[in-house]
Amino acid sequence: MNTERFPIKATSHIINLLGDELIGSDSLAIFELVKNSYDADATKVTIYFLDLDSSKRKIIVEDNGSGMTMEVIQNVWLTIGTDYKKKKAKISPIFRRSSLGNKGVGRLAVHRLADEITLESQARGELFGSKLHINWKELIQSEEYIEDLSVVVNDGIPDLFKCGHGTRITLTGLKTKKWTKTILKDLAQKIENIKNPFKAIDSFDIEIICNDEEKQKWIDEAKTPLWVLEKSLYTFHFVIEPSNSGKAMFKWKYKFNPLNFPVSTNIIVRESYREQDLLLKPDSFSDRAHNILTNEDLANIGPISGVFHVFNQNGKIIDYTFGAGKRIAIKSFIKDNSGVKIFRDNIRVYNYGEPSDDWLGLELAKVQRAGDHFSKKVTIGAVFLDLLKSESGLKEKTNREGFTDNETFRLFVSIVQEVFSSFEREAISDRDKIESFTSSTPSVKRIGLSDTIKELDSKLTQKGLINEFNPLLKKVEKDYNEMRDLMLNSGMSGLNLSLVFHEVEREIRFINVSLNEPNYDKILLKQRVKSLIHLIENFAPIVKQNKKIRTSASKIIERAVQIHKSRFHYHNIVCSTPILTKESDDFEIKGPGNLLLSTISNIIDNAIYWVCIEHEKKSESNVPKAIYINSDTKSFDGPAIIIADNGEGFKMDIDELIQPYRTLKPGGMGLGLYFSNLVMETIGGKLLFPSNDDCTVPYIYSGAIVAIIFPKD
């Protein structure tokens, strides 16, 4: 048997593949050149668009960086895939910049933009510079294999740069022949965003110049007006960094900024600040033994900081904030810049934050959880990373279109998603004020029709319309209650109906507002009520009632404890149930059995989660995790089942707890207590959130207390 060794060859055509197809857009091609200037300690990069309407059109990218010697041009610039920057120049000598370009293929990106390239460069401290010219088509056709290609380099050229050093790349034979406003403005905007527009970099500037006056105006329109961001309605700054406790510290500052609102609205500027642990979604990663973000989690990511600006595109709010006559311009700015960008060492990581990119899933979350979610369409944000501390875990793809999808990247996304959720939770009360202002209806804290129907009934009676409208209102209430029962009996699988509930209740509020007007339109009012009935009927299928039972509190508690027994054991939680050992009074319960069991189970589930979180925060504590479930037949206006724990307690306002989409639990829907409260309302009961002083719960259970109160017989 004969064996031979053969070399691996690459044809010249690979330059086409690496240039045209590896880099996904013209903006990314220019981005590669700008990154090389940054790595070369340039303080300024000037990009010229010249004679774009003629056959002599060209793009010039010029910097005042350290430049290249003949040796560097030969061994680095003309060597594809070199790891020179990884080994030799990790940190730049003047500004101590971490190298952004280290794949060794960025220089081929210009092949996407133009057929020809001229490179001129003069190294810092050298008297003369070098120059080369490449016609890509002729070069590729000159030899079959890439190792046989060669380029003529002229050396010893004087006076190439006024400052005595730098690099100039001239692109001719541009592949884009017609430079429209859309094309040029979009490219200019992406170039502007290469450098972080949210933070000033004193030692690095990018300027774009065009020798066509009209086209220069298009370019200038692409600049980010920071004063617009400063007037955003909601702003959230954050920092996540390691701390001495071993847990990552999450610090944030929130500002609600309703500028120039009428004094009568009582909508005023509000600011808040907090330092806290960051909780991640449960089971985000199968091998995570903890929920709180730790220093170890940040090992391959480094510190994370950022800012989110969120706008409201309602015309009235834009007029108050920015002045009359600017609606179109402001809405256009929001549309062009929306999304959350990522910057490492203040230089952009593409394609995060581009129009087609929604790496945080903001739009999906908005669809799935319409309640109090900010849309990507009104969010302009940025996340900042340290290159040296993050590059081992967050690796950029060779085509410069994002990070490799590995475990570190998924953890990073999960962290930022939870930061954004924290922002949304803090803004809820302010969003309620804005919704109330823009819809001219009062903000309703309690979700449910009973109080609203009574108020409406009273107004109709005062105006002598009760007999005419009462049958219609009764039908609205009946159909609404059937829809509510349908959702409850489906075990929350029909949660999309909650969106309909929101529409129904808002329509009822509009009817109330109409009745307050001196000259209300009776015919229009009746049409509105009939439309309300039609809305409900379209979404209300036949209701299958949940089976009603008659049992004891002890039996339903016993069943709920049995359901969670394995979880108590797994999490080392002590569950105390005095009622099951005959230490407390028992009482009879009547109602839909499965729903009542689901209510108790849901509250226990919350208690388990928050007890574990509190124990994780106090890892040195010897206090065991504990949950208390018992009866209380004396403290309230009806017998109650009490569920208490020694977790951190409720951090939200009490009147917020039973509203939909209110939650501090990462990944939570914010519908559990809302659902539980609806169940109790259907049987004439209620949920309360007492303190230890208001009931018979021992003081060692100092966390959350929920009282499930049943009606008296």
Side-chain angles (χ1 to χ4, degrees):
M1 179 179 68
N2 295 323
T3 60
E4 292 186 60
R5 184 182 294 273
F6 295 100
I8 296 174
K9 295 183 178 181
T11 66
S12 303
H13 178 63
I14 196 171
I15 292 178
N16 278 331
L17 295 176
L18 291 174
D20 278 349
E21 300 179 26
L22 181 65
I23 302 299
S25 66
D26 291 353
S27 58
L28 283 176
I30 292 180
F31 179 41
E32 289 300 312
L33 299 181
V34 173
K35 285 204 298 187
N36 286 341
S37 300
Y38 178 87
D39 291 345
D41 273 330
T43 60
K44 186 171 185 178
V45 180
T46 306
I47 301 171
Y48 299 91
F49 290 90
L50 304 177
D51 305 324
L52 292 180
D53 291 332
S54 76
S55 59
K56 296 181 180 179
R57 63 183 68 88
K58 66 178 70 172
I59 297 174
I60 300 175
V61 180
E62 181 176 334
D63 69 52
N64 63 352
S66 296
M68 292 180 284
T69 63
M70 172 73 90
E71 180 185 9
V72 172
I73 291 174
Q74 176 187 352
N75 297 325
V76 179
W77 203 88
L78 289 173
T79 301
I80 298 171
T82 178
D83 60 356
Y84 170 80
K85 289 186 182 180
K86 280 187 176 181
K87 289 183 176 179
K88 303 292 184 183
K90 192 74 171 179
I91 303 295
S92 66
I94 298 176
F95 294 108
R96 310 302 296 167
R97 294 171 183 167
S98 302
S99 174
L100 295 169
N102 53 30
K103 303 289 186 182
V105 295
R107 62 195 63 89
L108 294 179
V110 295
H111 187 272
R112 179 182 180 87
L113 287 167
D115 292 327
E116 298 183 53
I117 176 176
T118 299
L119 168 71
E120 300 167 277
S121 192
Q122 182 175 342
R124 193 184 300 271
E126 297 288 330
L127 295 177
F128 302 101
S130 304
K131 180 177 180 179
L132 65 83
H133 178 81
I134 299 175
N135 180 309
W136 293 108
K137 186 175 181 180
E138 291 179 0
L139 179 68
I140 291 168
Q141 290 179 347
S142 66
E143 298 290 347
E144 182 177 1
Y145 296 105
I146 194 169
E147 62 265 31
D148 297 324
L149 299 178
S150 61
V151 175
V152 174
V153 181
N154 297 310
D155 195 19
I157 304 174
D159 304 322
L160 277 179
F161 299 90
K162 290 182 180 179
C163 65
H165 54 85
T167 298
R168 182 185 303 116
I169 294 177
T170 303
L171 306 175
T172 53
L174 301 184
K175 295 184 178 180
T176 298
K177 306 301 181 186
K178 187 171 179 61
W179 289 83
T180 65
K181 181 177 182 179
T182 300
I183 291 174
L184 187 56
K185 186 177 177 181
D186 181 65
L187 183 55
Q189 189 172 52
K190 288 179 170 59
I191 293 172
E192 284 285 339
N193 282 330
I194 289 173
K195 191 182 75 167
N196 186 352
F198 299 86
K199 290 183 177 181
I201 309 177
D202 294 335
S203 61
F204 188 64
D205 188 34
I206 303 172
E207 184 179 12
I208 308 173
I209 296 175
C210 183
N211 64 347
D212 182 301
E213 186 175 340
E214 182 181 16
K215 288 181 172 58
Q216 184 66 50
K217 289 181 180 178
W218 299 347
I219 290 171
D220 292 340
E221 288 176 10
K223 294 181 179 179
T224 303
L226 295 180
W227 64 270
V228 176
L229 295 179
E230 291 170 358
K231 291 189 174 186
S232 61
L233 189 58
Y234 312 92
T235 303
F236 191 85
H237 292 268
F238 73 92
V239 175
I240 299 173
E241 57 191 359
S243 73
N244 294 332
S245 69
K247 301 182 180 70
M249 177 57 70
F250 173 34
K251 297 184 285 189
W252 57 260
K253 183 179 181 180
Y254 165 79
K255 184 175 184 180
F256 174 53
N257 197 35
L259 298 175
N260 306 316
F261 273 54
V263 176
S264 59
T265 65
N266 200 32
I267 298 177
I268 59 176
V269 173
R270 182 176 78 87
E271 295 187 26
S272 54
Y273 173 84
R274 193 171 302 163
E275 296 184 6
Q276 63 186 69
D277 296 323
L278 183 70
L279 305 183
L280 299 182
K281 294 178 183 178
D283 304 321
S284 294
F285 303 88
S286 57
D287 59 345
R288 283 181 64 84
H290 52 275
N291 294 292
I292 298 175
L293 187 70
T294 66
N295 294 351
E296 185 180 352
D297 292 323
L298 296 177
N300 295 318
I301 299 175
I304 308 169
S305 61
V307 59
F308 301 120
H309 297 275
V310 172
F311 295 80
N312 187 302
Q313 300 199 69
N314 179 276
K316 286 197 300 183
I317 292 178
I318 291 177
D319 289 346
Y320 284 139
T321 305
F322 298 98
K326 296 182 179 179
R327 291 187 185 183
I328 294 176
I330 296 301
K331 288 185 177 182
S332 177
F333 169 80
I334 295 170
K335 179 182 177 182
D336 292 343
N337 292 277
S338 64
V340 178
K341 300 173 178 63
I342 297 177
F343 295 88
R344 284 214 285 198
D345 284 7
N346 289 315
I347 300 296
R348 180 87 178 271
V349 178
Y350 281 94
N351 278 330
Y352 302 111
E354 290 296 285
S356 60
D357 172 76
D358 185 19
W359 63 282
L360 288 178
L362 301 185
E363 287 305 300
L364 178 61
K366 179 72 176 175
V367 172
Q368 291 179 333
R369 220 194 81 192
D372 296 289
H373 227 55
F374 285 131
S375 166
K376 170 183 174 288
K377 296 174 184 176
V378 294
T379 302
I380 299 176
V383 176
F384 312 127
L385 295 167
D386 182 292
L387 177 59
L388 286 181
K389 293 179 180 178
S390 66
E391 65 178 350
S392 64
L394 298 175
K395 299 180 180 295
E396 281 192 68
K397 298 176 183 176
T398 302
N399 64 1
R400 303 303 188 189
E401 293 186 5
F403 295 120
T404 302
D405 187 11
N406 56 24
E407 186 174 346
T408 302
F409 175 68
R410 291 191 291 273
L411 175 60
F412 167 68
V413 172
S414 182
I415 291 170
V416 182
Q417 284 176 331
E418 185 49 38
V419 169
F420 196 83
S421 293
S422 299
F423 172 29
E424 291 174 321
R425 289 192 290 266
E426 182 63 21
I428 282 177
S429 61
D430 298 318
R431 294 190 68 185
D432 284 345
K433 294 175 186 176
I434 293 298
E435 182 180 357
S436 176
F437 171 72
T438 55
S439 63
S440 301
T441 61
S443 178
V444 176
K445 282 290 183 184
R446 190 175 180 83
I447 302 297
L449 277 186
S450 55
D451 292 338
T452 314
I453 289 287
K454 288 177 183 177
E455 182 184 351
L456 192 57
D457 193 275
S458 175
K459 289 181 181 178
L460 289 171
T461 301
Q462 292 172 12
K463 297 182 182 293
L465 299 174
I466 188 63
N467 292 334
E468 186 173 354
F469 280 87
N470 195 54
L472 293 174
L473 292 179
K474 290 298 182 186
K475 180 165 177 54
V476 168
E477 189 171 22
K478 176 177 177 294
D479 288 348
Y480 179 91
N481 287 337
E482 286 181 348
M483 287 176 58
R484 178 197 63 190
D485 292 343
L486 173 64
M487 187 192 78
L488 295 177
N489 286 296
S490 65
M492 295 183 70
S493 63
L495 281 178
N496 286 335
L497 289 174
S498 62
L499 303 178
V500 185
F501 297 163
H502 179 72
E503 295 298 321
V504 170
E505 289 163 4
R506 186 165 58 187
E507 194 68 20
I508 287 285
R509 295 201 300 274
F510 278 133
I511 294 172
N512 264 320
V513 171
S514 297
L515 284 171
N516 284 329
E517 296 174 358
N519 301 313
Y520 59 87
D521 188 329
K522 180 178 173 181
I523 296 175
L524 183 62
L525 194 62
K526 187 176 289 187
Q527 288 177 346
R528 199 151 205 169
V529 175
K530 287 183 177 179
S531 296
L532 182 60
I533 293 171
H534 182 66
L535 172 67
I536 295 174
E537 287 178 340
N538 282 340
F539 289 91
I542 298 173
V543 178
K544 181 180 179 182
Q545 292 293 334
N546 189 282
K547 183 179 179 181
K548 289 185 170 56
I549 63 165
R550 185 184 293 267
T551 186
S552 65
S554 60
K555 286 185 178 179
I556 201 164
I557 290 173
E558 184 177 26
R559 176 67 182 130
V561 170
Q562 190 64 33
I563 290 172
H564 293 280
K565 186 176 181 180
S566 61
R567 296 184 67 201
F568 292 145
H569 177 73
Y570 176 78
H571 292 288
N572 295 316
I573 295 174
V574 176
C575 180
S576 176
T577 52
I579 189 174
L580 299 186
T581 54
K582 312 293 185 184
E583 298 173 59
S584 299
D585 295 334
D586 206 348
F587 61 91
E588 188 178 73
I589 289 175
K590 291 180 288 187
N594 289 342
L595 295 184
L596 293 174
L597 183 60
S598 295
T599 295
I600 296 170
S601 183
N602 173 67
I603 296 169
I604 292 174
D605 179 71
N606 283 343
I608 291 173
Y609 176 79
W610 290 110
V611 163
C612 290
I613 292 297
E614 181 68 4
H615 189 77
E616 191 176 327
K617 287 181 178 180
K618 300 176 180 178
S619 54
E620 302 299 322
S621 174
N622 294 321
V623 177
K625 291 173 277 189
I627 292 175
Y628 174 88
I629 308 172
N630 199 16
S631 64
D632 187 331
T633 58
K634 299 175 182 177
S635 302
F636 308 100
D637 58 359
I641 292 176
I642 303 288
I643 301 174
D645 61 54
N646 64 346
E648 64 176 5
F650 293 117
K651 299 299 182 183
M652 294 170 56
D653 291 341
I654 295 300
D655 57 2
E656 296 275 338
L657 292 174
I658 57 173
Q659 292 193 61
Y661 308 116
R662 269 43 169 188
T663 182
L664 296 178
K665 185 177 181 180
M669 289 286 287
L671 290 168
L673 291 177
Y674 169 65
F675 166 76
S676 300
N677 186 63
L678 278 180
V679 170
M680 296 311 297
E681 282 190 342
T682 62
I683 63 170
K686 57 188 172 184
L687 285 190
L688 289 181
F689 307 95
S691 67
N692 300 81
D693 294 330
D694 300 323
C695 57
T696 59
V697 175
Y699 280 93
I700 59 171
Y701 298 96
S702 56
I705 302 176
V706 181
I708 307 169
I709 303 171
F710 295 84
K712 289 183 177 179
D713 289 336

